[in-house]
């Protein structure tokens, strides 16, 4: 590592000083020689040791005053960050390219190798000073973090302007949808593609409410994020409810103004705003990986299906057929109702449970509890979808059958994510 007082540095230091450098810029030529000094201190030591002369930063050949404005730049960054709530930050700077070119030329001229650029020094110095002024005062405890900070503040040193990028917030939860007729995510009007027309009553939406909007609006308000993206662990049909322990989701909130949100307060705000349609539970902060975990969720799902028959079916027949369906693998071609927007292919899904729970006296209606692999189409399992789903309830009974109401009653039990979150608590 060497010694900053090493006599061997006399010659290159003299050459550098003669080019007209300030103490900072002189010290930076030898930034990686010796520990424990700031670059301006290195510069001062070299001046004393070798009887050199330096300029003021304003007159410096390399930085042209930049290094004399560190305090001012620190104040600008600090003032800018004060409008936001966060724990960790990192300062970056945009330094005029001619400063970086001139320092390179100086280093080359004197053969200096243990150097540090002005940009790197400013990033470090401003960060360190802002951190020092914000430690130990409660919520305003700001810590420099290199790996994924909450806020990246980038100062343009020419205009004292700060751009900041805030790490997205990810909130996990489970939602229950207590009513039918609400899609999981925003569904723009097909006619106008969201711009608003007479068909959608100028709302731009096919459905005025969605689980996404009902959950996102209070979350955006609480965090000050201007947008939100809803990632669900699969989705139920618009006309199906989602009950039981609910369906896992992750809400992604980019550029949040406030990162400290009381999730219990948020849960109540969502549930109040969204009542009686939607409620949420188990809210927890998660990291980005949770999005792919939730989207890749392949747990079994359990449904309650209300079925109407074209002709009366005796109870024994219903029991027999539900026994036949349980444990069967079903081949399902893409349902005709979604074939216009999804590729037509055949999938094989297991029906793991089929339980008759109610039969109306006239034999024209019954209720089943059905459990199956993720992606099993229940309405088609009931109706047969004109032979596209095989076997099916209608096919086995040889009687027309259709699902008149569908509820998701369980989504795959506790997911891996639930377990992770519980373990962390
Ligand atoms: Zn300088
Ligand atoms: Zn429209």
């Amino acid at each position: 590592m060497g010694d900053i007082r090493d006599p061997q540095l006399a010659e290159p230091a003299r050459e550098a000083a003669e080019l007209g450098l300030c103490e900072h810029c002189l010290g930076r030529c030898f930034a990686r020689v010796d520990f424990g000094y700031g670059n301006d201190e290195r510069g001062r030591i070299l001046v004393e040791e070798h009887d050199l002369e330096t300029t003021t930063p304003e007159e410096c050949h390399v930085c042209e005053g930049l290094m004399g404005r560190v305090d001012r730049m620190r104040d600008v960054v600090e003032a800018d960050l004060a409008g936001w709530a966060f724990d960790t930050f990192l300062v970056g700077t945009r330094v005029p390219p001619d400063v970086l070119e001139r320092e390179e030329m100086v280093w080359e001229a004197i053969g200096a190798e243990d150097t540090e650029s002005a940009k790197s020094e400013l990033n470090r110095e401003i960060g360190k000073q802002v951190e020092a002024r914000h430690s130990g005062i409660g919520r305003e405890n700001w810590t420099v973090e290199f790996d994924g900070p909450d806020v990246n503040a980038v100062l343009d040193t020419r205009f004292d302007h700060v751009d900041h990028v805030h790490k997205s917030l990810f909130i996990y939860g489970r939602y229950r949808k207590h009513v039918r007729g609400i899609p999981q995510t925003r569904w723009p009007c097909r006619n106008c593609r969201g711009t608003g027309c007479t068909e959608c009553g100028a709302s731009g939406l096919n459905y005025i409410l969605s689980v996404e909007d009902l959950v996102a609006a209070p979350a955006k308000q609480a965090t000050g994020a201007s947008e939100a993206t809803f990632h669900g662990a699969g989705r139920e049909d618009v006309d199906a409810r989602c009950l039981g322990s609910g369906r896992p989701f992750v809400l992604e909130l980019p550029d949040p103004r406030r990162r400290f949100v009381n999730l219990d307060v948020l849960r109540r705000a969502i549930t109040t705003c969204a009542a009686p349609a939607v409620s949420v539970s188990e809210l927890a902060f998660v990291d980005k990986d949770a999005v792919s975990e939730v989207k890749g969720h392949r747990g079994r799902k359990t449904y309650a299906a209300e079925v109407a028959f074209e002709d009366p079916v005796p109870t024994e027949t219903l029991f027999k057929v539900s026994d036949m369906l349980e444990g069967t693998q079903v081949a399902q071609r893409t349902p005709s109702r979604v074939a216009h927007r999804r590729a037509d292919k055949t999938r094989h899904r297991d029906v793991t449970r089929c339980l008759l729970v109610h039969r109306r006296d006239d034999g024209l209606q019954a209720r089943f509890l059905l459990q199956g692999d993720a992606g099993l189409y229940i309405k088609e399992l009931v109706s047969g979808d004109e032979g596209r789903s095989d076997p099916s309830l209608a096919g086995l009974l040889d009687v027309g059958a259709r699902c008149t109401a569908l509820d998701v009653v369980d989504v795959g039990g506790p997911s891996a994510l639930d377990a992770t979150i519980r373990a962390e608590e």
Side-chain angles (χ1 to χ4, degrees):
M1 258 302 134
D3 179 350
I4 192 68
R5 294 187 163 83
D6 187 339
Q8 286 195 7
L9 297 181
E11 199 42 42
R14 180 174 315 281
E15 284 175 43
E18 278 168 4
L19 294 168
L21 306 190
C22 70
E23 284 171 353
H24 281 270
C25 293
L26 177 62
R28 280 207 327 283
C29 299
F30 310 96
R32 288 183 289 138
V33 179
D34 224 342
F35 290 113
Y37 301 105
N39 286 327
D40 50 343
E41 286 176 88
R42 285 168 208 281
R44 272 197 295 280
I45 292 170
L46 291 166
V47 165
E48 284 163 18
E49 286 290 314
H50 313 297
D51 195 20
L52 308 175
E53 265 182 44
T54 47
T55 68
T56 63
E58 288 65 38
E59 290 161 346
C60 173
H61 161 67
V62 167
C63 71
E64 291 185 343
L66 191 63
M67 288 302 167
R69 295 197 292 116
V70 174
D71 289 358
R72 160 85 192 138
M73 292 188 274
R74 172 204 63 207
D75 292 347
V76 168
V77 170
E78 189 181 10
D80 189 83
L81 288 175
W84 304 76
F86 60 91
D87 277 327
T88 58
F89 73 106
L90 188 63
V91 174
T93 46
R94 278 187 211 105
V95 171
D98 52 310
V99 172
L100 303 175
E101 276 166 31
R102 285 194 301 269
E103 66 182 7
E104 289 277 357
M105 282 163 68
V106 169
W107 299 340
E108 217 178 285
I110 66 167
E113 282 172 356
D114 298 318
T115 59
E116 182 185 25
S117 81
K119 186 181 166 71
S120 153
E121 170 165 5
L122 286 176
N123 294 352
R124 185 166 38 75
E125 272 307 312
I126 298 171
K128 204 165 77 182
Q129 292 191 23
V130 170
E131 181 183 60
R133 287 156 71 116
H134 285 267
S135 56
I137 24 180
R139 263 302 180 212
E140 285 197 340
N141 236 322
W142 300 349
T143 309
V144 171
E145 165 70 58
F146 294 94
D147 187 19
D150 294 341
V151 193
N152 251 306
V154 179
L155 172 76
D156 191 319
T157 59
R158 280 167 301 186
F159 310 110
D160 281 355
H161 171 81
V162 183
D163 277 326
H164 29 71
V165 179
H166 294 251
K167 193 164 74 171
S168 296
L169 267 183
F170 296 90
I171 299 175
Y172 169 85
R174 298 179 80 106
Y175 75 84
R176 284 183 292 162
K177 194 173 98 187
H178 307 279
V179 296
R180 305 179 195 286
I182 299 177
Q184 185 194 69
T185 49
R186 286 174 73 86
W187 195 322
C189 168
R190 273 200 205 105
N191 190 44
C192 64
R193 293 168 192 272
T195 55
C197 65
T198 50
E199 212 159 285
C200 59
S203 69
L205 298 169
N206 256 8
Y207 294 88
I208 292 166
L209 295 182
S210 63
V211 176
E212 173 175 21
D213 280 343
L214 290 169
V215 172
K220 287 197 290 190
Q221 200 173 28
T223 59
S226 54
E227 28 184 323
T229 311
F230 190 92
H231 306 280
R235 61 174 67 206
E236 64 284 338
D237 291 333
V238 172
D239 59 2
R241 295 186 295 183
C242 182
L243 308 171
S245 58
R247 185 185 292 277
F249 67 90
V250 172
L251 192 67
E252 179 176 356
L253 297 148
D255 226 21
R257 212 163 240 282
R258 294 175 288 279
R259 306 190 78 85
F260 310 116
V261 174
N262 181 323
L263 291 181
D264 201 47
V265 172
L266 177 61
R267 180 187 57 75
R268 274 181 274 142
I270 293 172
T271 300
T272 306
C273 291
V278 169
S279 61
V280 293
S281 58
E282 295 182 46
L283 297 189
F285 290 113
V286 288
D287 62 25
K288 195 172 193 283
D289 298 342
V291 172
S292 52
E293 268 183 66
V294 154
K295 291 182 98 166
H297 185 279
R298 288 283 171 271
R300 280 181 185 159
K301 297 183 178 67
T302 310
Y303 300 86
E306 208 67 54
V307 177
F309 303 108
E310 279 173 12
D311 294 306
V313 184
T315 311
E316 324 71 272
T317 314
L318 288 179
F319 274 125
K320 203 176 87 191
V321 165
S322 44
D323 274 354
M324 288 166 77
L325 268 183
E326 184 164 304
T328 310
Q329 189 175 71
V330 186
Q332 293 194 309
R333 262 179 77 186
T334 303
S336 45
R337 66 192 162 95
V338 298
H340 63 280
R341 56 191 164 93
R342 286 195 202 152
D344 189 8
K345 57 179 180 185
T346 301
R347 300 170 186 81
H348 297 271
R349 301 278 187 256
D350 286 342
V351 180
T352 47
R353 292 285 278 151
C354 181
L355 204 63
L356 174 70
V357 289
H358 177 75
R359 173 187 173 274
R360 210 166 68 184
D361 288 344
D362 61 10
L364 285 170
Q365 209 161 339
R367 187 185 309 136
F368 294 87
L369 271 181
L370 289 156
Q371 187 194 61
D373 289 344
L376 174 70
Y377 290 109
I378 298 297
K379 289 174 182 169
E380 285 66 26
L381 175 69
V382 170
S383 71
D385 197 19
E386 287 164 348
R388 296 164 73 95
S389 207
D390 185 52
S392 69
L393 190 63
L396 293 171
L397 290 168
D398 201 19
V399 169
R402 109 193 127 79
C403 181
T404 55
L406 188 65
D407 294 327
V408 179
V409 293
D410 186 56
V411 179
S415 68
L417 251 167
D418 288 332
T420 327
I421 288 160
R422 291 211 186 92
E424 278 170 8
E425 271 168 6

